[in-house]
Amino acid sequence: MAKRITICAGIDTGKHKLDVALDGSSEQLQVENTPEGHWTLLEWLKRHKVRRVGIEASGGYEQAVVAELRRKRLVVVVFQPAQVHAYAAFHLQRAKNDKIDAVLIAACTAAVKKIHPAPDPRLQPFAEHLTMIDQITEDIARLKNRLESCRNAQVQKLWKEDIARLAKRERVELKALAVAIRKHHDLAARLDLINSIDGIGLKTAIIILVRMPEIGQITREQAAALSGLAPYDHDSGNHVGVRHIAGGRERLRRALFNAALPASFRWNPQLIAFYKKLKEAGKEHKRALIACARKLLIFANTVVARGTPWQKKSPEVASVPAI
């Protein structure tokens, strides 16, 4: 039987333009990054019998065309810029422009062995809303830092008013986001399962649900890696280096780390015992908290996978991780 070949295309995304190339072909296309341009792109892809399209994440400018391609049932692979850069470095390719990048992305797309399922499209607007709430939190932290170093009473009053206004806005937006999520029964059930865990509040539960759509469908090791909380070896020859975390989803990792402190000191008996065991084994405070943050995510992954709420039980005797 003849081997079936999947025709792949690569798209280099700009704010105004999309440059498109076919893998193994000189055929190229440039269209506007607009609904009309997307329609032209789809017709061109259909004419060339393309079934898989690769595109590099580009600050959100790729989201509209990705959504349209997926609506037309094309397989879309969204690459992180580091992946494309690494592929170019491997092939010793130094030249760079939009057309060259499109060809490179097409080659990357053809080389992909494992295609991950497309994320739930319902979560995209929730993710944007959550990012706005995160930005409000960051603004509050910046204002608190300014207030700390300010000695002028009038300026202090202005900063305090701004902090109070933003804090109120944060509460209102978080409540609105929770209401929007609960309109979907399956997402509401998943949110309640995550929120049932001691030490995970509503905001952290929402962050896990939205920032990790795969929750409950992956292994604990995959969950740790995706969140950037997995410890990686740093060994060479006889040298045994310190394990460290790297990569992953920054906003998710930050939320889990922030939740780990109160959970490990007050709210979750298992994490309290786990943290104590880590400290007795000589782990530094920050490394112990990272391990507790990883445990929190593993708890969330487990309750969603099982479909049963968190069950309080006696603290487990946990093995001390490498980190």
Side-chain angles (χ1 to χ4, degrees):
M1 293 179 65
K3 185 178 180 180
R4 189 173 181 179
I5 298 174
T6 301
I7 300 175
C8 301
I11 301 177
D12 181 70
T13 314
K15 182 176 181 180
H16 303 294
K17 301 281 186 181
L18 299 174
D19 284 277
V20 194
L22 292 180
D23 181 51
S25 170
S26 60
E27 288 280 346
Q28 291 195 329
L29 174 73
Q30 186 182 78
V31 296
E32 300 288 329
N33 193 0
T34 62
E36 294 77 14
H38 300 165
W39 184 86
T40 303
L41 168 64
L42 285 164
E43 289 296 311
W44 188 83
L45 294 174
K46 182 179 179 180
R47 189 164 63 250
H48 289 88
K49 299 180 180 180
V50 174
R51 296 305 306 159
R52 185 191 300 176
V53 180
I55 190 166
E56 183 180 0
S58 182
Y61 294 127
E62 80 288 349
Q63 290 179 4
V65 67
V66 167
E68 189 62 31
L69 291 168
R70 283 175 172 159
R71 271 196 291 269
K72 297 299 182 181
R73 301 188 180 281
L74 282 134
V75 176
V76 181
V77 182
V78 180
F79 293 104
Q80 295 301 312
Q83 293 175 285
V84 180
H85 296 165
Y87 191 85
F90 175 75
H91 290 279
L92 303 177
Q93 180 172 314
R94 296 183 180 277
K96 177 176 172 56
N97 60 44
D98 293 343
K99 292 184 177 180
I100 291 174
D101 286 349
V103 173
L104 182 65
I105 295 168
C108 282
T109 307
V112 169
K113 300 298 183 185
K114 184 176 181 181
I115 306 294
H116 298 283
D120 188 337
R122 297 175 300 173
L123 294 178
Q124 181 57 43
F126 298 154
E128 293 177 2
H129 196 167
L130 185 56
T131 297
M132 185 265 283
I133 294 171
D134 288 343
Q135 290 167 342
I136 292 174
T137 305
E138 293 161 7
D139 288 341
I140 292 173
R142 277 192 286 268
L143 287 173
K144 286 182 176 179
N145 287 336
R146 293 176 186 174
L147 183 63
E148 185 72 23
S149 60
C150 180
R151 299 293 176 266
N152 185 297
Q154 185 176 359
V155 175
Q156 285 181 347
K157 182 175 179 294
L158 292 174
W159 289 151
K160 288 178 181 178
E161 289 174 354
D162 283 348
I163 290 170
R165 175 179 55 81
L166 287 172
K168 182 179 179 181
R169 170 57 61 187
E170 182 183 25
R171 291 192 298 270
V172 168
E173 294 299 335
L174 184 62
K175 183 178 179 180
L177 178 55
V179 169
I181 290 172
R182 290 192 182 282
K183 291 180 180 178
H184 306 275
H185 297 302
D186 58 328
L187 296 181
R190 215 179 305 165
L191 179 64
D192 288 338
L193 288 170
I194 299 170
N195 197 27
S196 71
I197 299 169
D198 293 338
I200 293 185
L202 178 61
K203 184 177 181 180
T204 305
I206 290 174
I207 291 172
I208 294 172
L209 175 70
V210 174
R211 301 288 188 207
M212 184 169 280
E214 307 91 343
I215 195 75
Q217 301 173 5
I218 52 178
T219 66
R220 55 193 291 167
E221 293 81 10
Q222 289 172 327
L226 287 172
S227 64
L229 290 169
Y232 291 105
D233 297 348
H234 191 66
D235 303 341
S236 180
N238 295 326
H239 171 74
V240 179
V242 176
R243 274 50 178 163
H244 63 281
I245 61 174
R249 299 169 186 175
E250 182 182 354
R251 291 186 183 276
L252 173 65
R253 180 175 65 249
R254 189 189 311 155
L256 287 164
F257 184 78
N258 290 338
L261 180 61
S264 305
F265 280 74
R266 182 176 180 181
W267 299 114
N268 192 302
Q270 286 181 251
L271 282 186
I272 292 171
F274 184 52
Y275 177 85
K276 183 179 179 182
K277 186 177 181 67
L278 292 171
K279 291 295 293 178
E280 289 172 352
K283 299 296 180 184
E284 301 170 8
H285 170 70
K286 186 174 181 179
R287 291 182 179 276
L289 276 187
I290 290 171
C292 289
R294 186 165 59 247
K295 274 284 187 184
L296 265 182
L297 182 60
I298 290 170
F299 291 161
N301 193 56
T302 301
V303 297
V304 175
R306 292 177 179 173
T308 56
W310 172 256
Q311 300 292 324
K312 294 185 179 182
K313 58 182 180 179
S314 301
E316 61 182 13
V317 179
S319 59
V320 178
I323 191 169

